[in-house]
Amino acid sequence: MNASIGERSEKLVNTPQETLDQSFFLRRKALKADLGSVRPSQKGPSPVELAVARQCQVPLKDIARVCSLHAVNGKALSQSLIESGRLSANQFYWALAGRLRLKFAQEGSLKVASDRLLDHRPLCLDGLLMVPAVDANRRAVMAVSPVGAQADTLARLVLQKATHGVPLVVVTPNELRQLVVTAHSTVGMVEANRAHSAYSRAHGRQKSLMSFAPFILFTLAPIGGTVILIVSAVLKVCALALGSLRLAAAWQTRKRPPVKSAPPGDLWNLPIYTILVPLYDEDAVCPQLVRALSNLDYPKNRLQILFLTEQDDTRTRERLKAMAEPHMQVLTLPDGQPRTKPRALGVGLQMARGAFITVFDAEDRPDPDQLKKAVARFRAETPDLACLQASLFIDHAQSGWLVRQFALEYASLFDVMLPWLADKNLLIPLGGTSNHFKTDLLRQVGGWDPYNVTEDADLGVRLTRYGYRVATLDSTTREEAPLKWDVWISQRRRWHKGWMQTVLVHLRHPVKLRRELGPRNSLLFLLWFVGGLACMMAAPWTLVAILGVMIHSATSAEGVPYWVPMIGALGAFCFSIGFGGAIFCLREGARRRGLTVHFWEYLSVPVYWLLGSCACYGALIDLFFRPHHWRKTSHGHVTYDPEAAPVAAE
């Protein structure tokens, strides 16, 4: 160790405590003296760190030992003291903030400046990273956590008042790391490709169309009857096409053989697999969740399980920490907007070490061999396969009519429609859980959009636009369905709002969408998303129109024009195909899942659709007034016993 460094260390270590507690003016003079004796390029312990360590009453022998080891391991003084347990991170950085007359922010007190990061970029000066954040007073600040010589740089900034009016706030390195990771996951995709993000509700020509919509409607008012007939014809075509798709899917028998878990020779060559579990207010299902993930038939040393919790969700975090296994890690996300599931998943994606990555919800119970099946399928397929969607199944369908309809809907979608679409190599709208990805390809397409509240459907479309394939996996994840209609409506409002966001995002450039998806997938996108939403919203008006024609026919002495029965017959035919396709698809899904369905449950499906229509109109309101609000669905209302059937809680 150089004599000059040793002399400076001894001088700073022996500085009396009273001198360290003098006024700000004297502290500035002391800092100038400390900094003036060291060149920025000179290697050695930071004078500012030495002074702060002495202020924290770290023993002289410990500081001398760390200084002597500095030339060997290259670690900063603060880093070595904190890692060895001689000093806590909070204590050191609190003292550093006090010496520089800056504010110190406890962990969790700063929010991610998601809405300002597009204007205020993180700065880096001589290795000192300054990250935009928002304090408790909603004031923009720059969070810093200097290590080693970065403390000298921070002191120079304070002395020169070179912060451009933005206050500096000192945080611990762990807090700064969380702010960086969360901020990047929030705005990374927006900065890389704003055209594929729901950050803005509408884009370019869409805004112009919305602005001129009242004028267009006023212009078309004189020919309102013709416009209604045209819209009615389009809706009939959509219902006919959707019903035909469901009929074709239900008619075709699955020919693909089941995928084996993994060849015996590959059991010792399994890749690292990352599991992301976003959670909020889920302490009730933590025991079930940990048990389900512990039952996965995959080597524990090849698993990375990340529980992603929000800053204010202390109960869930503490309960998980009490029962988490060594390969499970509980992460805390700094507060910020938007508070959505994809925002949390973006943080997990940046910290993922696995070659493959999957998402499970809090209430999920996947098949034990699901990960091995996914690895075997990825290895057996071509490199362009980017995602595998496992089947979702509601295993407490006996809990009431609403849950029964939900279970039938899931069976028809995940066991009939999606496998058929995969066999035809068509666009697949992903479910929100049990998606298995190749991590490198997921990062290549930008990951999840934090501003889209149905990040799964959006990601499925984006993967196809990038030229990758999405397929289904012959494995099941059991889920919990809402027991009450208001919870179901709230969940559907979020789903339908996300579908509307997905439509707006991917129709910003229709010609480009058609070129990237191809003619078949472009038509399927319009039919599945746009046509599905349109039919859902038109359901109650269709019922009103049918009733109106019936009443008019029964009460009018002159009867109705000749073309009305023709249009009614055409509408009845299209409705019959649409309804019949849905019923056959539900019946086939129930058969594959072993569910016994009564005849009256099939007849009550239109009532279920009317509930969905109510949720769709609520989603339209949310899209304009709360576009990025995440409607949380509560879980833990079903008691699950591995040796018995699930029972709904009272």
Side-chain angles (χ1 to χ4, degrees):
M1 184 169 60
N2 296 335
S4 59
I5 295 178
E7 292 174 359
R8 288 197 312 274
S9 303
E10 186 70 21
K11 176 182 178 182
L12 288 170
V13 165
N14 292 328
T15 302
Q17 187 66 31
E18 308 84 58
T19 304
L20 297 174
D21 293 334
Q22 289 176 356
S23 65
F24 179 51
F25 175 74
L26 295 180
R27 291 183 190 181
R28 288 171 58 90
K29 292 182 62 178
L31 283 174
K32 287 181 180 179
D34 293 343
L35 295 173
S37 62
V38 178
R39 299 178 182 274
S41 60
Q42 186 175 358
K43 296 182 180 180
S46 163
V48 177
E49 282 196 332
L50 285 168
V52 174
R54 179 56 178 163
Q55 182 178 347
C56 294
Q57 298 181 354
V58 178
L60 173 60
K61 59 180 182 179
D62 291 340
I63 297 180
R65 186 181 300 111
V66 171
C67 291
S68 63
L69 292 175
H70 174 77
V72 178
N73 56 29
K75 289 186 177 181
L77 173 64
S78 60
Q79 187 179 6
S80 299
L81 291 175
I82 293 172
E83 289 181 355
S84 63
R86 297 182 178 92
L87 191 63
S88 69
N90 283 329
Q91 182 182 4
F92 176 82
Y93 285 96
W94 175 81
L96 175 64
R99 182 171 181 81
L100 300 181
R101 294 301 290 266
L102 297 175
K103 290 186 177 181
F104 173 73
Q106 295 282 353
E107 292 191 8
S109 60
L110 295 182
K111 296 184 178 181
V112 178
S114 305
D115 54 341
R116 308 186 190 192
L117 275 177
L118 297 176
D119 301 320
H120 298 83
R121 308 284 180 167
L123 302 177
C124 188
L125 179 63
D126 292 337
L128 177 65
L129 180 63
M130 294 171 280
V131 180
V134 178
D135 62 10
N137 297 320
R138 298 182 179 179
R139 182 181 59 170
V141 298
M142 282 287 190
V144 294
S145 184
V147 177
Q150 299 171 8
D152 305 339
T153 303
L154 178 60
R156 290 190 183 93
L157 288 177
V158 174
L159 291 173
Q160 297 170 6
K161 298 182 179 180
T163 60
H164 303 288
V166 181
L168 293 174
V169 175
V170 178
V171 297
T172 63
N174 181 65
E175 180 69 5
L176 186 71
R177 188 180 307 110
Q178 293 292 340
L179 285 171
V180 170
V181 171
T182 308
H184 184 271
S185 69
T186 304
V187 302
M189 179 184 170
V190 180
E191 291 182 328
N193 192 352
R194 189 178 295 212
H196 284 172
S197 174
Y199 173 74
S200 57
R201 185 168 42 241
H203 187 267
R205 297 176 181 175
Q206 294 175 342
K207 293 182 179 179
S208 302
L209 182 61
M210 290 181 180
S211 301
F212 285 99
F215 176 76
I216 295 174
L217 293 176
F218 179 78
T219 305
L220 296 178
I223 55 172
T226 305
V227 173
I228 292 176
L229 288 177
I230 295 175
V231 172
S232 176
V234 172
L235 291 174
K236 289 179 176 64
V237 171
C238 290
L240 179 64
L242 287 171
S244 301
L245 281 179
R246 293 189 172 99
L247 281 173
W251 190 264
Q252 177 175 315
T253 305
R254 297 179 66 177
K255 299 179 180 180
R256 187 179 65 249
V259 180
K260 297 181 180 180
S261 294
D266 291 341
L267 292 178
W268 300 101
N269 191 29
L270 291 174
I272 297 177
Y273 219 115
T274 299
I275 299 176
L276 304 181
V277 188
L279 300 155
Y280 184 70
D281 196 18
E282 299 285 6
D283 56 296
V285 296
C286 285
Q288 167 191 308
L289 172 63
V290 174
R291 182 170 60 247
L293 297 181
S294 299
N295 290 336
L296 290 173
D297 183 18
Y298 205 85
K300 306 301 182 186
N301 62 345
R302 312 298 291 171
L303 270 181
Q304 181 196 22
I305 300 179
L306 301 178
F307 296 112
L308 308 169
T309 65
E310 296 292 341
Q311 185 70 51
D312 59 346
D313 191 10
T314 307
R315 293 187 303 175
T316 301
R317 185 163 50 252
E318 294 302 323
R319 193 160 191 186
L320 282 173
K321 288 181 178 179
M323 59 183 63
E325 298 180 6
H327 61 288
M328 302 177 181
Q329 185 179 359
V330 183
L331 301 180
T332 304
L333 280 63
D335 201 3
Q337 295 298 324
R339 181 181 280 192
T340 59
K341 173 184 174 181
R343 171 180 176 261
L345 292 176
V347 176
L349 178 60
Q350 295 187 68
M351 306 188 69
R353 296 185 292 104
F356 301 106
I357 189 170
T358 187
V359 179
F360 290 130
D361 285 342
E363 80 280 12
D364 285 355
R365 301 181 302 280
D367 285 346
D369 62 345
Q370 187 171 122
L371 302 187
K372 287 185 176 180
K373 280 188 174 182
V375 171
R377 181 70 185 280
F378 275 123
R379 288 175 171 175
E381 292 282 349
T382 55
D384 63 339
L385 180 63
C387 176
L388 291 171
Q389 172 67 68
S391 295
L392 305 182
F393 176 57
I394 306 301
D395 59 355
H396 59 101
Q398 71 280 2
S399 301
W401 174 83
L402 184 63
V403 179
R404 188 77 166 175
Q405 294 291 332
F406 197 111
L408 291 175
E409 180 185 19
Y410 261 34
S412 66
L413 176 63
F414 289 99
D415 295 304
V416 180
M417 279 302 305
L418 296 191
W420 182 78
L421 293 174
D423 290 340
K424 300 298 182 182
N425 196 23
L426 293 173
L427 172 69
I428 293 182
L430 295 175
T433 178
S434 301
N435 326 114
H436 298 261
F437 302 93
K438 290 180 179 176
T439 306
D440 57 341
L441 298 185
L442 180 60
R443 287 174 174 151
Q444 182 178 334
V445 302
W448 295 274
D449 180 9
Y451 293 95
N452 193 314
V453 296
T454 51
E455 75 294 339
D456 42 8
D458 166 70
L459 185 55
V461 178
R462 193 159 11 105
L463 285 170
T464 307
R465 294 187 67 171
Y466 274 77
Y468 296 116
R469 287 193 303 118
V470 179
T472 55
L473 181 65
D474 190 16
S475 183
T476 298
T477 297
R478 288 156 179 81
E479 280 201 327
E480 175 186 335
L483 300 177
K484 299 180 179 180
W485 71 271
D486 56 338
V487 179
W488 184 92
I489 288 286
S490 178
Q491 184 185 64
R492 289 303 165 109
R493 287 181 69 168
R494 172 167 56 84
W495 290 2
H496 291 153
K497 180 176 66 174
W499 277 36
M500 294 174 187
Q501 289 177 319
T502 302
V503 168
L504 290 174
V505 166
H506 292 283
L507 285 182
R508 287 170 178 171
H509 305 286
V511 177
K512 185 177 180 181
L513 176 71
R514 191 265 179 203
R515 184 173 64 250
E516 293 176 348
L517 286 182
R520 291 198 309 165
N521 283 328
S522 299
L523 184 60
L524 180 61
F525 173 82
L526 293 174
L527 182 62
W528 192 267
F529 288 94
V530 183
L533 287 171
C535 290
M536 187 73 67
M537 300 185 73
W541 307 112
T542 302
L543 180 61
V544 170
I546 293 174
L547 293 176
V549 172
M550 294 175 61
I551 294 173
H552 188 274
S553 301
T555 57
S556 177
E558 300 178 357
V560 295
Y562 70 93
W563 50 267
V564 173
M566 296 176 58
I567 295 178
L570 178 61
F573 173 75
C574 294
F575 176 79
S576 299
I577 297 297
F579 181 71
I583 294 302
F584 272 98
C585 202
L586 291 173
R587 180 176 176 274
E588 178 63 18
R591 185 189 67 81
R592 294 179 183 181
R593 280 297 174 184
L595 296 175
T596 302
V597 187
H598 300 288
F599 182 71
W600 67 269
E601 291 175 323
Y602 288 130
L603 293 180
S604 62
V605 168
V607 180
Y608 189 71
W609 291 352
L610 287 176
L611 289 177
S613 181
C614 295
C616 203
Y617 280 100
L620 186 61
I621 296 174
D622 289 345
L623 179 66
F624 281 93
F625 295 101
R626 308 179 74 183
H628 305 136
H629 173 67
W630 185 273
R631 288 184 173 271
K632 175 73 174 66
T633 304
S634 60
H635 302 109
H637 305 291
V638 177
T639 304
Y640 177 73
D641 184 357
E643 299 180 357
V647 179
E650 295 294 338

